[in-house]
Amino acid sequence: MTPTGTTRPTRPTTSAVKTISQGNHDAGANPLRVILRAFLTIWSVPKARIGVALLGVFVLLAVFAPLLAPYGATDNSFDRSEDMSAAHWLGTTAAGQDVLSQIIYGARVSVFVGFVAGLLSTIIAVLIGLSWGYLRGLAGDVINFIVNLFLVIPALPLMIVIAAYLQNGGIGMIVLVVVITGWAWGARVLRSQTQSLRSRDFVTAAVFSGESPARIVFREILPNMTSLIVGSFFGASTAAILAEAGLEFLGLGDSTTVSWGTMLFWAQNSNALLTGQWVLLFAPGLCISLLATSMSLINFGVDGLSNPRLREGATR
Amino acid sequence: MSLVSVQGLSVVYEPNGAEPVPAVKAVSFDLEQGDFVGLVGESGSGKSTLGFALTGLSRPPARVSAGSIIFDGVDIAGLTPSQLRVQRHGGFAMVLQSGMNALNPVRSIRNHFFDIFAAHGHVSTRDREARAAELVGKVQLPASVLDRFSGELSGGMRQRVSIALALSLEPRLMVFDEPTTALDVLVQHAVMDTIRELQKSERFTAVLISHDLGMVLEVTERVMVMHDGLIVEDATAAEILAAPQHPYTRMLLSHYGDPRAAVVEVPGLASRGTERATDVAQAVAGGAPVGEPVESQGEPVESQGEPVETPVGEPAPSAPTAVTVRKREGRAARESIVVSGVSKVYPRPSRRDQPVTAVNDVSFTLEPGASMALVGASGSGKSTIAKLITGVEHPTSGTITFGDLRIDTIRRRQLKRLHTEVQMVFQDPYAALNPLHTVEYALTRPVLNYSSLRGRDARRRVLELLETVGLTPVEQFAARLPHQLSGGQRQRVVIARALASDPQVIIADEPVSMLDVSLRAGVLALLDSLRETWGVSMLYITHDLLSARLVTDQIMVLNKGSVVEEGRTATVLQNPQDEYTIRLLDAIPAPRSGAKGGSRHPQESSKKGLRPPATVPTSSPPATVPTSSPPATVPTSLTSPRSPS
């Protein structure tokens, strides 16, 4: 089939929206096929391929932690502050725990928080962003005020304040804090896209078809911005992973759970750098950045989902 | 030796992960110094691709796969980008369709010129100002525009600036890619005149790429007609007018007519003159243009592997066979839309500006079964009127009623009731359908929303609608996604959706302006036949007077929000009173008038027309109302406090 975009020079082609819809042109009715095609598009970008592989490794680590870890995560029956050895590949902590096992178990928290907090903040961002973009008048102004409020408040201090109030609430608390501080940016992005889509003729046509506003937003507009939503999910996940580690490092989480953030917290407490155990700081830090990087790399592929022109190698 | 010699040039599109598509297939031609050549074709014919290749602007996924472009002895198909850039000075330049968007909004026009001068170093720093002023002078702009930013200029001015920018390197070959398509009708004409005069005075070789054969024939000396990647005809404009050789050219030509003529006809669309302006029509019966036989028209149109478009003029669009006169059980009686004294003032966009009066004291009545045209250039307020009538926006003053429903103060909740009776056909069929939903979904939704039909009944109704608009086999079309349809088919789906609620009124906002010429007649014929068989009334909004003449009985000409002329379409167009109407009529390219580059004065050009209306007493009032078709018998009077002229 002739690509309509390239061989139709007589039509004014201006908006970026158009290319987005073109990217979704091929989407069939079958959702499974859509997902498969989306995955293949992401996979076709080399950077994203690395990201997918990395993320896959971390997810597998998290799921099969009990099988992969040589020792229990909280088992402190070993010698303290040991260096790397055959028995303890990455040494032991000041409390006598195996570092490698902690890293492997720690992946569970990071991956869990990343997915759950990312998903929740994306859902909130979609709900608020779309209705905010579609509604006009007073309701829109009210949402505008609230979102701007969340955008102006610096996220980290807000997180610290909230976390300090909910002393030692564990992972659930951290997810809550991350979601509260993390949804506004996504909402803003989705809102601007909604606003540009709502002026499209097919939305007006849906009004003429007698559709209700909710249906227009979720059946007509939402499917046209799938890629944006996916992108915003990975963005939110990355932010959530970093925020979780940050909060735990500051000691605002439950310091008895085993996660990369608490590992950093304890390593800092035991002056690991001074004692020469740089691995204690280095290993969890590397894992956090690798996990965040994998998400960012996947987002390169998501760009291609939304806009065929951004597909690598398409223009050069 | 000729300036440009193209030999066996082929261009292919090689998109990522898709089959390569040939866009230009082994094309050969020569251009002499000072030629003014038109390159005509419909969308997808490869004309723009060829234009880009000529100026060395082909970019991936497009690739010159074979052949050579010898420009002044150098094959530019094989040049590297940096060699090409040097070549552009005194070489070739291109003016793009959206050239008005090619200007950087944060740099003044002067900076645009200076950038080019600096890049090529052919103008000394001292002379830059004078040279820039001289260039804008050539495109008939005052030197003061140099201080402006692109946002402060109108579309026509911006396009002139981009022409002046292209001229700044003294090119010997200029390629104009649809230079006026994005402009308003009246501006189009002025910009075209500028281009023509420039070409005469500067003597550069010009290639004018356009979909509008009429305009090209009027402006250029030689015309190349492209179809499906091939140049199917290459002849002088006069030869093409007098004796077109290729059936495709003949088909394109047959779709032009003069709305001022007594009888206006394009293939696939019955003459309006003979049916309705009875008094006029019978006088000149034999003057209709020689249309192609119906069968041969559809054939060349189908191209590019697009889905098969129902050939124009096939029985399908004329729906009477499928649906006879509609019964409207349990529905409101047929009502007319009464617009009286309506004005719409938009608040001033910024503190410095004045409030914008989009519509100023407009009154009219759209009777049941009537068809009325609302014409005007862009900014005349015609689309605002559509928004007001459909309740999308509220008027600042005045009333709009539909039966007992007050549209001017309608609430969101009542909108659904209004849209049951008043539906809309959108301008751009490419934007009016959600790319992710099948045709069946698009049609099922209004059926479910507006009728009590459910399940199998609803589906039957959807298929019935598809049949009405001539998309058969219906089952196949129902399952398609919009991108699997051609433009004409999409517009039929849009029309079917508008019909789904069984409305009394259809507002058609430029329904064919985005379609290729060959598809227009089919869609217009469909709209016209629906009006007759379903008894719906139609408000046809357009800037295209020819199509207005073809499908409407009444006309209202809008200028700056006010009605400047109204009356029967045939009468108004044949005997326009207001100067604005005359200007609109003049802006229409009329290849058949034969007056190439000649005077465009209405009297003169109508004398030169093939079908001289001068022999017809155009001013005589419509004597009898035809009794043949029932909907047409409805007295379609314009009740307006304002009198024309």
Side-chain angles (χ1 to χ4, degrees):
Chain A
M1 161 107 217
T2 315
T4 40
T6 47
T7 57
R8 192 164 288 287
T10 51
R11 292 178 53 238
T13 54
T14 44
S15 65
V17 186
K18 192 169 155 276
T19 43
I20 284 179
S21 63
Q22 274 175 356
N24 294 345
H25 258 184
D26 300 333
N30 186 347
L32 249 179
R33 261 186 28 214
V34 175
I35 291 169
L36 183 73
R37 188 171 294 144
F39 181 79
L40 286 178
T41 310
I42 294 176
W43 189 252
S44 68
V45 181
K47 284 180 203 151
R49 209 177 299 164
I50 298 172
V52 170
L54 263 178
L55 182 63
V57 169
F58 282 113
V59 170
L60 289 178
L61 269 188
V63 171
F64 297 107
L67 300 175
L68 293 169
Y71 309 102
T74 50
D75 184 356
N76 56 1
S77 58
F78 310 106
D79 290 341
R80 299 179 172 198
S81 302
E82 257 187 63
D83 276 340
M84 294 179 247
S85 65
H88 306 286
W89 288 4
L90 295 177
T92 59
T93 67
Q97 298 141 322
D98 180 49
V99 175
L100 181 63
S101 308
Q102 285 213 321
I103 292 278
I104 293 174
Y105 273 98
R108 299 191 132 184
V109 174
S110 283
V111 170
F112 175 80
V113 170
F115 274 91
V116 173
L119 195 66
L120 285 179
S121 43
T122 308
I123 289 174
I124 295 177
V126 166
L127 289 176
I128 291 184
L130 263 68
S131 45
W132 180 24
Y134 190 74
L135 290 175
R136 282 184 183 164
L138 187 65
D141 288 343
V142 170
I143 304 177
N144 189 18
F145 178 76
I146 296 171
V147 176
N148 282 337
L149 198 67
F150 274 93
L151 282 171
V152 226
I153 298 174
L156 192 66
L158 179 65
M159 273 191 224
I160 294 173
V161 168
I162 300 175
Y165 270 106
L166 310 168
Q167 254 317 307
N168 293 336
I171 293 174
M173 181 270 291
I174 286 184
V175 167
L176 184 73
V177 171
V178 169
V179 169
I180 288 176
T181 54
W183 59 270
W185 198 77
R188 180 126 216 154
V189 171
L190 293 176
R191 175 241 194 174
S192 52
Q193 181 66 10
T194 309
Q195 277 186 325
S196 99
L197 279 174
R198 68 160 286 163
S199 59
R200 297 279 302 278
D201 277 352
F202 70 79
V203 174
T204 319
V207 176
F208 275 86
S209 296
E211 302 278 42
S212 65
R215 215 185 147 92
I216 289 174
V217 168
F218 293 106
R219 287 305 301 272
E220 304 284 336
I221 294 178
L222 180 79
N224 275 299
M225 37 205 266
T226 326
S227 57
L228 257 189
I229 293 168
V230 173
S232 122
F233 165 74
F234 283 114
S237 293
T238 314
I241 289 163
L242 294 174
E244 178 260 347
L247 285 176
E248 304 224 295
F249 172 70
L250 293 172
L252 291 164
D254 180 358
S255 52
T256 59
T257 53
V258 176
S259 74
W260 297 336
T262 49
M263 285 177 74
L264 286 171
F265 171 68
W266 287 119
Q268 181 73 12
N269 270 3
S270 58
N271 290 324
L273 265 186
L274 292 181
T275 60
Q277 277 199 297
W278 53 271
V279 178
L280 269 185
L281 283 167
F282 182 74
L286 184 70
C287 286
I288 291 166
S289 46
L290 278 182
L291 184 54
T293 309
S294 74
M295 301 266 189
S296 304
L297 286 176
I298 292 175
N299 253 347
F300 277 101
V302 174
D303 281 347
L305 264 191
S306 67
N307 189 344
R309 285 180 197 202
L310 291 179
R311 283 181 196 161
E312 301 216 341
T315 53
R316 223 183 322 231
Chain B
M1 198 186 92
S2 48
L3 180 71
V4 180
S5 172
V6 175
Q7 292 303 327
L9 182 73
S10 297
V11 183
V12 287
Y13 278 91
E14 292 169 327
N16 257 18
E19 289 287 299
V21 183
V24 177
K25 301 169 188 165
V27 163
S28 303
F29 60 88
D30 290 329
L31 299 178
E32 303 295 333
Q33 178 71 43
D35 269 1
F36 198 174
V37 178
L39 190 57
V40 185
E42 300 196 314
S43 55
S45 62
K47 57 189 190 305
S48 286
T49 310
L50 180 57
F52 276 98
L54 268 184
T55 47
L57 286 171
S58 289
R59 280 198 312 172
R63 190 173 65 83
V64 175
S65 59
S68 62
I69 307 163
I70 311 287
F71 178 83
D72 201 18
V74 184
D75 184 0
I76 57 173
L79 288 186
T80 64
S82 52
Q83 288 170 317
L84 262 177
R85 202 160 54 237
V86 177
Q87 186 76 42
R88 291 198 194 284
H89 182 199
F92 32 83
M94 188 155 185
V95 175
L96 299 167
Q97 173 178 10
S98 52
M100 45 216 259
N101 299 331
L103 303 177
N104 189 335
V106 295
R107 292 178 70 73
S108 68
I109 302 302
R110 174 177 289 109
N111 282 335
H112 282 89
F113 282 101
F114 284 15
D115 285 349
I116 298 179
F117 298 156
H120 289 268
H122 65 294
V123 179
S124 68
T125 320
R126 209 162 357 105
D127 299 337
R128 282 182 184 176
E129 182 69 37
R131 176 71 177 141
E134 184 197 338
L135 283 167
V136 290
K138 280 187 185 170
V139 289
Q140 291 148 25
L141 289 176
S144 59
V145 294
L146 291 173
D147 295 322
R148 309 278 205 91
F149 291 85
S150 70
E152 298 168 344
L153 303 178
S154 69
M157 288 164 90
R158 272 180 279 175
Q159 190 62 289
R160 281 167 201 265
V161 168
S162 57
I163 293 171
L165 284 171
L167 276 176
S168 63
L169 290 176
E170 296 134 21
R172 279 184 287 162
L173 169 67
M174 287 269 272
V175 177
F176 297 92
D177 186 8
E178 306 262 7
T180 58
T181 307
L183 301 176
D184 183 60
V185 258
L186 293 176
V187 184
Q188 264 183 11
H189 195 230
V191 171
M192 217 58 236
D193 282 346
T194 306
I195 292 178
R196 186 160 47 183
E197 279 161 28
L198 267 179
Q199 198 272 335
K200 276 204 186 104
S201 59
E202 307 282 313
R203 296 309 297 167
F204 52 76
T205 308
V207 176
L208 174 66
I209 300 173
S210 177
H211 67 281
D212 191 343
L213 180 59
M215 187 189 75
V216 168
L217 283 174
E218 204 174 69
V219 175
T220 63
E221 295 142 9
R222 179 178 144 203
V223 177
M224 295 190 284
V225 181
M226 260 193 111
H227 175 54
D228 208 5
L230 300 168
I231 292 183
V232 295
E233 188 149 4
D234 183 353
T236 67
E239 279 168 5
I240 285 196
L241 258 182
Q245 297 301 314
H246 196 273
Y248 183 72
T249 317
R250 284 203 290 260
M251 188 276 299
L252 282 179
L253 261 180
S254 69
H255 285 280
Y256 286 90
D258 185 357
R260 274 171 287 214
V263 179
V264 182
E265 206 170 58
V266 299
L269 204 55
S271 161
R272 202 73 183 170
T274 44
E275 270 181 28
R276 289 185 183 76
T278 40
D279 49 343
V280 182
Q282 272 137 25
V284 216
V290 195
E292 278 294 293
V294 171
E295 291 75 19
S296 66
Q297 286 157 29
E299 186 185 273
V301 181
E302 295 159 20
S303 61
Q304 294 290 324
E306 285 207 7
V308 181
E309 165 73 16
T310 316
V312 258
E314 254 200 0
S318 49
T321 46
V323 185
T324 48
V325 178
R326 304 279 309 170
K327 299 187 290 283
R328 300 178 58 85
E329 297 127 356
R331 294 290 292 275
R334 292 152 58 89
E335 305 277 7
S336 41
I337 288 184
V338 182
V339 175
S340 64
V342 161
S343 298
K344 175 73 185 175
V345 180
Y346 287 105
R348 47 188 190 176
S350 73
R351 207 159 284 184
R352 274 181 298 172
D353 297 329
Q354 293 293 310
V356 180
T357 307
V359 176
N360 184 17
D361 192 22
V362 168
S363 304
F364 63 90
T365 304
L366 185 65
E367 306 276 357
S371 71
M372 183 191 281
L374 211 53
V375 298
S378 66
S380 60
K382 52 195 198 303
S383 287
T384 307
I385 291 182
K387 284 183 191 159
L388 295 176
I389 291 178
T390 51
V392 175
E393 287 189 10
H394 295 317
T396 315
S397 64
T399 59
I400 308 171
T401 54
F402 178 73
D404 57 342
L405 200 60
R406 281 283 295 269
I407 303 177
D408 54 320
T409 55
I410 197 162
R411 298 287 197 138
R412 201 179 261 259
R413 291 176 208 293
Q414 288 172 300
L415 267 185
K416 199 167 160 181
R417 210 187 119 203
L418 175 68
H419 290 162
T420 322
E421 303 294 353
V422 181
Q423 277 286 334
M424 181 126 177
V425 174
F426 295 87
Q427 175 174 15
D428 185 356
Y430 299 90
L433 293 171
N434 193 330
L436 301 178
H437 292 319
T438 60
V439 169
E440 178 163 7
Y441 180 89
L443 295 181
T444 309
R445 292 308 306 168
V447 168
L448 293 180
N449 284 333
Y450 290 121
S451 70
S452 53
L453 299 174
R454 289 293 176 270
R456 199 171 299 166
D457 292 338
R459 186 174 155 77
R460 194 177 310 132
R461 171 94 174 109
V462 167
L463 298 183
E464 200 179 288
L465 285 168
L466 279 175
E467 197 173 336
T468 310
V469 295
L471 290 178
T472 48
V474 287
E475 302 276 348
Q476 232 178 58
F477 276 102
R480 292 233 178 119
L481 284 166
H483 76 272
Q484 297 168 316
L485 303 173
S486 70
Q489 289 169 336
R490 286 187 209 206
Q491 197 58 296
R492 282 166 198 270
V493 174
V494 172
I495 293 171
R497 178 171 60 189
L499 290 173
S501 68
D502 196 2
Q504 292 186 35
V505 182
I506 286 186
I507 317 279
D509 188 359
E510 306 254 13
V512 294
S513 67
M514 292 283 190
L515 300 180
D516 275 335
V517 179
S518 56
L519 301 177
R520 287 183 183 178
V523 170
L524 286 177
L526 170 65
L527 279 172
D528 202 32
S529 72
L530 288 174
R531 201 176 58 75
E532 284 179 10
T533 50
W534 288 47
V536 289
S537 43
M538 177 166 75
L539 187 64
Y540 181 75
I541 298 171
T542 189
H543 66 267
D544 173 13
L545 292 171
L546 175 63
S547 64
R549 176 71 201 276
L550 287 166
V551 297
T552 62
D553 294 322
Q554 258 132 29
I555 195 165
M556 271 182 23
V557 183
L558 279 172
N559 182 16
K560 297 194 182 117
S562 305
V563 178
V564 294
E565 194 156 359
E566 56 189 311
R568 291 177 62 84
T569 308
T571 317
V572 168
L573 293 187
Q574 284 172 41
N575 194 11
Q577 298 300 317
D578 191 88
E579 202 202 329
Y580 182 73
T581 317
I582 296 173
R583 275 173 61 210
L584 275 179
L585 278 165
D586 278 352
I588 301 169
R592 281 161 191 289
S593 68
K596 200 152 104 57
S599 162
R600 303 188 52 89
H601 200 259
Q603 272 77 26
E604 278 187 58
S605 61
S606 62
K607 268 177 210 155
K608 285 177 188 163
L610 288 183
R611 285 153 272 128
T615 59
V616 181
T618 47
S619 54
S620 68
T624 51
V625 182
T627 47
S628 52
S629 56
T633 57
V634 178
T636 46
S637 60
L638 283 166
T639 55
S640 166
R642 297 168 54 86
S643 80
S645 73

